Amino acid sequence: MTTTITITGAGGQIGYALLFRIAAGDMLGPDEKVRLRLLEIPQGLGAAEGAALELQDGAFGLLEHVEVTDDPAVGFEGCDLALLVGARPRGPGMERADLLAANAGIFGPQGAAIAANAASGVRVTVVGNPANTNALIAAASADGVPSERFTALTRLDENRARAQLAQVLGARVGSVQRVPIWGNHSATQFPDVSHATVDGRPVSEALAAIVGDVPEWLENTFIPRVAKRGAEIIEVRGSSSVASAASATIDHVRDWVRGTEDWTSAGVVSRGEYGVPEGLISSFPVRSVAGEWQIVEGLELSEWARARVDASVAELVEEREAVRALGML
Ligand code: NDP
């Protein structure tokens, strides 16, 4: 089998970190051939074409074909997996409404081009920020494609949260499970440790022995650390996180296509679960079963957790309203 994968913003930094791992089989496994379509805006074509030359030189056994284009109809032709990475960054003096409008102007037409050109079972993962609302706009513009096929990446936030917990607990990151992200991929996101386990034991017990006042530590240390990790990386590295964002994108798509053993996090369309208004693309605890994300239902939320979820969801509602007010939804 060959899977056709379209990557927008393929000439950018995250695109560059993604392409070689996809071609090496990290996303779909060692038996799945891939056909890559690198979709860029005209200014990004040179970088994407350069990456395509390097992909050739990688001599990847699974890589059937690479095409570089700035035409969305060509870029999404027959696409099974769309990774929407390219987005308009916030420029100097740009208000949030300007940012939402600029990105609505990108993700609306891309949603329409996906509906018109992609394979019938297309799955879309939005990485470009503001990812949740960009996914909402793309889904709303993709007539005939079920909105369940549009998702936003929050896996990097979850990976960061699990890594922070593992470090504090002195545990392997792989032994820390069930740390869902709720809400928006933004500073309001809520990384929830209330159901988390380390080697199968509740994390809260292990944490109490190390940090003492767990609620205080969560509120003032853990949550800000996870939410501001991007800024920390920029400060230390001198530029934004790239490889970890690409790696989380690979995790998200791999789990969506191949299934999960336990919970993870993804921005998926709400059908009203946990009181999240219907139609929003919000992060939830999810499992992937038979190629579909399922929201883990029935979890208890403390009053404090409930308030955190509500605050992040309120931001998503505001973003939706702002885009509606611009007549772009
Ligand atoms: P990056 O590849 O570094 O980032 C791309 C997008 O991913 C940004 O929106 C960025 O958001 C987002 N992102 C999500 N998670 C992270 C994370 N953890 N760390 C960093 N970024 C994250 O940007 P480049 O500028 O290098 O590349 C963008 C490419 O997209 C360019 O080649 C450009 O030509 C192209 N582009 C394509 C468009 C299209 O296809 N229509 C439209 C606009 C641009 P944030 O800005 O918040 O960091």
Side-chain angles (χ1 to χ4, degrees):
M1 274 283 291
T2 302
T3 301
T4 299
I5 305 165
T6 304
I7 297 124
T8 73
Q13 299 192 81
I14 295 177
Y16 192 68
L18 262 176
L19 294 171
F20 298 86
R21 291 200 50 199
I22 296 172
D26 289 355
M27 190 163 83
L28 299 178
D31 301 319
E32 187 71 18
K33 296 196 176 59
V34 292
R35 195 181 292 120
L36 297 179
R37 297 202 200 283
L38 280 45
L39 179 59
E40 261 293 353
I41 50 177
Q43 308 88 290
L45 279 176
E49 278 161 4
L53 295 181
E54 284 200 76
L55 280 165
Q56 241 176 8
D57 294 350
F60 294 102
L62 295 173
L63 184 57
E64 280 208 341
H65 185 68
V66 184
E67 180 153 358
V68 180
T69 180
D70 60 357
D71 180 348
V74 175
F76 290 116
E77 176 63 39
C79 156
D80 300 299
L81 298 171
L83 310 182
L84 307 188
V85 180
R88 176 78 191 275
R90 191 188 287 254
M94 210 173 176
E95 299 293 331
R96 203 166 63 120
D98 302 331
L99 184 73
L100 287 167
N103 280 299
I106 294 168
F107 286 84
Q110 285 185 351
I114 287 169
N117 299 286
S120 58
V122 65
R123 294 177 170 106
V124 182
T125 301
V126 177
V127 178
N129 283 314
N132 300 53
T133 297
N134 289 344
L136 178 79
I137 292 163
S141 310
D143 279 348
V145 184
S147 44
E148 283 73 14
R149 303 278 182 68
F150 287 80
T151 63
L153 184 77
T154 54
R155 181 62 169 267
L156 179 59
D157 305 309
E158 179 192 316
N159 286 352
R160 286 168 169 170
R162 287 177 51 220
Q164 288 299 321
L165 283 173
Q167 200 176 27
V168 169
L169 298 167
R172 271 183 317 110
V173 71
S175 67
V176 179
Q177 297 294 332
R178 302 194 166 189
V179 191
I181 303 295
W182 298 82
N184 201 1
H185 169 67
S186 76
T188 66
Q189 64 173 270
F190 175 46
D192 180 10
V193 307
S194 36
H195 307 277
T197 58
V198 50
D199 288 320
R201 283 189 312 128
V203 151
S204 44
E205 284 173 19
L207 271 179
I210 295 168
V211 304
D213 186 346
V214 176
E216 193 278 332
W217 181 79
L218 291 175
E219 180 86 36
N220 297 318
T221 305
F222 174 72
I223 294 176
R225 188 94 202 265
V226 173
K228 293 180 189 158
R229 183 72 164 178
E232 183 183 345
I233 306 250
I234 290 174
E235 201 182 310
V236 175
R237 183 174 181 261
S239 64
S240 64
S241 42
V242 172
S244 53
S247 195
T249 307
I250 300 248
D251 290 343
H252 173 105
V253 178
R254 183 199 58 224
D255 285 355
W256 193 358
V257 172
R258 299 169 73 186
T260 50
E261 284 178 11
D262 211 327
W263 314 345
T264 181
S265 311
V268 297
V269 66
S270 170
R271 297 291 170 219
E273 292 89 348
Y274 296 97
V276 177
E278 207 173 329
L280 284 181
I281 303 237
S282 173
S283 190
F284 287 98
V286 290
R287 332 184 142 80
S288 164
V289 180
E292 292 189 10
W293 291 118
Q294 294 177 353
I295 294 172
V296 178
E297 295 201 63
L299 298 178
E300 295 234 350
L301 289 170
S302 69
E303 214 172 292
W304 174 76
R306 181 78 253 174
R308 285 265 174 189
V309 173
D310 289 350
S312 194
V313 169
E315 186 181 52
L316 287 173
V317 171
E318 268 175 41
E319 288 184 9
R320 180 166 69 178
E321 289 312 312
V323 179
R324 276 190 181 147
L326 295 163
M328 298 179 97
L329 199 61

